[in-house]
Structures are given as structure tokens and as C-alpha cells.
Amino acid sequence: MKNYILSAVFLIISGCKKENTTTSVRQSSPAEAVSGNTRKDSVNTQQNKEEVFIFTTELCENKGIFNPDKYSKKELEDTYKLYFQMGGALLSTPSVFNLNDLRKVRTEKDQILTKLDKDFAQQKKLLENLTVVRDPYWENIKTRKLQELKDEYEFRKTEIQAFSNPSLLLHHQLSKGCENFAKALYSGGPQMIEEWRKLREAMGKRNSDQQRIMNEFQERLNSPDQKDYAIVDLITFGWGNCANDALKKTEHDERMYKKFNSLFIKIDSECDEP
């Protein structure tokens, strides 16, 4: 009987110890799991702070590392378009340097202007829909580029029309500072010839073969197509250069280059030799 009681007590004590050990494991296991998940999530969060944006410049393929908490990839893509892809003229119309060019532009004027309207609408929509990074500098660049596009459109449309009707330049807003060319084209006769001569003399001074420029002028002055020759020079090289130079243009300069690069944590570039 005594042995039975001792055995029972021993079994009870053993069972209690076993139960306490199991409880201890169960209590520590959730804590370890939470601790492990926290460390893993922390690492992932840190890694997710950096993403890659690939872009091309003149001679380089670039891999920019950026913080997605600051900018989205879409914002960087659109800012890149504004910075690099829209750095030059956004519209184009035929150049007029000789009588063949002049006749072609006069004949195809309506088609040229229709295409210009279409190109302008497309470029305007593209610019307006750009979602640049939220920074006053880039937002201002976008605003200025839109105005530059509108100015370029008005200039190109007016120039194409003027080749058929030079008189419309006389009171045009783009003729401010270029009135001498507009008045000469409107008046014709001696005033046009005199302004044409002065323009050719100025062109000659900028050319290595000044005599050739003046000989060419003399030949065209004596041509039956004298007036059309004068229109080509006075619009393309006179009024056209004068009015175009007066348009405000967005400078894609060193500051813009640095501003764009500053959007990235770092940039790795592979460049070809110039």
C-alpha cells in the first residue's frame, strides 16, 4: 500500500513538470516568431526604399537609383521627357531657302498648316498630361515649355502664311523689334530693295566668302524673280531670324542637368566615347 502511494505521488510530480515545460515552449514560440517577422519586414522595407530608373542621355546609358517615397517612376519618366526629350523644337515646318522651296510652300500652304495644327494639338496634349515630380522648379519648367510651344506654333504659322502674303507681318505681334523687315516687305519697291541689300551685307560679314554673298544678291536683283528672291531672304533670314530670336526659350543648361540628377540617390552610367 505504501509503495502504491509513493508511486502515485511520483507520477503526479512528473506530470506537473512535463506540463510546465510544454507551457514554457508555447510562451516563447510566439515571441520568437514576432521577433523574426519584424526583422524580416524591416529588411524588406529598407530594400523597398530604393528602385531603379533607366534613362538615356547623349552618349550614356544611365541607371538611376531613387527613393519611391519621394517620386513615382511615372513622375520620373515624365520629368525625363521634359528635361531631355523636349529640349529642342517641338514643331516643324518646311524651310524656304530658294525659289523652289517658296513655290512648294505656297502651293502646299493649306496642307502644311493643317499638319502644323495637328502637331501642335498633339504636343500640347502631351505636355499638359505630363506628371512631373512635385517640385516648383519642374512645375515651372512645364509651364514655360507650354508657353514656348504656343509661341513656336504662332511663329511657324505666321511665317508660312507670310510667304504667300507678306503684308500680314506689318502689324503682327511677332514683328515687334523686326518692323524694318515687315515694312520693307509691305512697301515693296526701293524700300524693299534697300532693306534686302542691308540684310545681304550683314549676311556677308558673317560668311567667310562675303563677295559670293553680294554677287549672288546682284544676280538676283537683276532677275525677273527679283521680288520673290527678296521675299525669301527678307522672311527667312530677316524677319524669321529676328522674330525667332525674340521668343523666350527654356534653357536646357547645366542647372537643369544638375536638378535632374539630384532626383536620384546615385546614378551609374555607361558612356561611349564622343
Side-chain angles (χ1 to χ4, degrees), residues 74-75 78-84 86 90 123-150 248-252 256:
K74 165 69 173 170
E75 288 172 334
D78 286 0
T79 304
Y80 167 71
K81 289 177 184 177
L82 189 65
Y83 154 63
F84 189 75
M86 296 184 167
L90 300 179
Q123 290 293 338
K124 183 172 179 287
K125 183 178 180 180
L126 176 61
L127 268 169
E128 289 174 337
N129 289 339
L130 288 181
T131 306
V132 298
V133 297
R134 286 161 288 181
D135 179 278
Y137 175 83
W138 291 108
E139 289 167 351
N140 181 51
I141 293 294
K142 177 182 173 180
T143 300
R144 287 165 54 189
K145 199 67 182 176
L146 272 166
Q147 185 58 53
E148 182 181 332
L149 175 66
K150 294 173 185 176
K248 293 181 179 179
K249 296 180 176 62
T250 305
E251 291 293 331
H252 288 248
M256 188 179 289

Side-chain angles (χ1 to χ4, degrees), residues 243-259:
N244 188 48
D245 288 345
L247 298 180
K248 293 181 179 179
K249 296 180 176 62
T250 305
E251 291 293 331
H252 288 248
D253 53 12
E254 185 71 14
R255 185 187 181 202
M256 188 179 289
Y257 167 80
K258 290 180 178 178
K259 277 285 189 179

Side-chain angles (χ1 to χ4, degrees), residues 63-94:
K63 183 173 75 173
I65 309 300
F66 70 97
N67 184 346
D69 287 346
K70 290 185 177 181
Y71 325 109
S72 69
K73 187 165 286 189
K74 165 69 173 170
E75 288 172 334
L76 286 176
E77 286 173 351
D78 286 0
T79 304
Y80 167 71
K81 289 177 184 177
L82 189 65
Y83 154 63
F84 189 75
Q85 296 180 339
M86 296 184 167
L90 300 179
L91 302 171
S92 65
T93 46

Side-chain angles (χ1 to χ4, degrees), residues 102-114:
L102 180 64
R103 290 168 186 143
K104 185 176 177 63
V105 163
R106 285 173 171 173
T107 301
E108 301 177 3
K109 180 184 67 173
D110 291 342
Q111 297 95 305
I112 293 168
L113 293 175
T114 297

Side-chain angles (χ1 to χ4, degrees), residues 8-262:
V9 170
F10 178 75
L11 288 170
I12 292 170
I13 292 172
S14 298
C16 290
K17 287 182 178 179
K18 184 176 181 182
E19 185 178 350
N20 287 341
T21 302
T22 304
T23 302
S24 175
V25 170
R26 286 174 181 169
Q27 288 175 345
S28 63
S29 179
E32 287 177 4
V34 171
S35 174
N37 287 339
T38 301
R39 287 196 298 272
K40 186 177 179 182
D41 290 345
S42 176
V43 170
N44 287 340
T45 301
Q46 190 66 28
Q47 290 174 342
N48 289 339
K49 291 291 183 182
E50 295 183 0
E51 290 187 15
V52 176
F53 177 70
I54 306 295
F55 62 99
T56 303
T57 47
E58 286 89 348
L59 299 171
C60 302
E61 289 290 334
N62 308 282
K63 183 173 75 173
I65 309 300
F66 70 97
N67 184 346
D69 287 346
K70 290 185 177 181
Y71 325 109
S72 69
K73 187 165 286 189
K74 165 69 173 170
E75 288 172 334
L76 286 176
E77 286 173 351
D78 286 0
T79 304
Y80 167 71
K81 289 177 184 177
L82 189 65
Y83 154 63
F84 189 75
Q85 296 180 339
M86 296 184 167
L90 300 179
L91 302 171
S92 65
T93 46
S95 298
V96 176
F97 297 125
N98 54 54
L99 292 189
N100 287 335
D101 294 338
L102 180 64
R103 290 168 186 143
K104 185 176 177 63
V105 163
R106 285 173 171 173
T107 301
E108 301 177 3
K109 180 184 67 173
D110 291 342
Q111 297 95 305
I112 293 168
L113 293 175
T114 297
K115 183 179 183 302
L116 180 64
D117 288 344
K118 181 180 178 181
D119 292 346
F120 170 69
Q122 289 177 341
Q123 290 293 338
K124 183 172 179 287
K125 183 178 180 180
L126 176 61
L127 268 169
E128 289 174 337
N129 289 339
L130 288 181
T131 306
V132 298
V133 297
R134 286 161 288 181
D135 179 278
Y137 175 83
W138 291 108
E139 289 167 351
N140 181 51
I141 293 294
K142 177 182 173 180
T143 300
R144 287 165 54 189
K145 199 67 182 176
L146 272 166
Q147 185 58 53
E148 182 181 332
L149 175 66
K150 294 173 185 176
D151 292 344
E152 184 183 355
Y153 167 72
E154 184 62 28
F155 167 74
R156 290 184 178 277
K157 180 180 72 173
T158 302
E159 185 180 49
I160 292 298
Q161 292 173 330
F163 284 119
S164 296
N165 181 20
S167 64
L168 65 83
L169 300 179
L170 189 59
H171 301 295
H172 199 284
Q173 60 181 359
L174 289 173
S175 292
K176 185 177 181 180
C178 312
E179 292 91 349
N180 55 318
F181 301 113
K183 290 177 180 176
L185 286 160
Y186 176 75
S187 66
Q191 186 175 349
M192 182 180 72
I193 299 303
E194 181 57 27
E195 196 62 46
W196 183 21
R197 184 189 302 277
K198 288 194 292 186
L199 173 63
R200 275 276 160 169
E201 288 172 350
M203 291 167 62
K205 290 176 182 178
R206 296 190 297 267
N207 192 285
S208 58
D209 191 352
Q210 183 175 358
Q211 191 58 50
R212 180 186 65 80
I213 299 296
M214 295 312 298
N215 288 344
E216 192 174 68
F217 165 73
Q218 198 62 45
E219 290 173 7
R220 294 178 177 181
L221 180 63
N222 297 322
S223 167
D225 296 310
Q226 174 199 96
K227 184 177 180 180
D228 281 346
Y229 277 122
I231 287 173
V232 169
D233 280 1
L234 288 170
I235 292 181
T236 297
F237 303 111
W239 182 90
N241 285 345
C242 177
N244 188 48
D245 288 345
L247 298 180
K248 293 181 179 179
K249 296 180 176 62
T250 305
E251 291 293 331
H252 288 248
D253 53 12
E254 185 71 14
R255 185 187 181 202
M256 188 179 289
Y257 167 80
K258 290 180 178 178
K259 277 285 189 179
F260 184 75
N261 285 356
S262 72

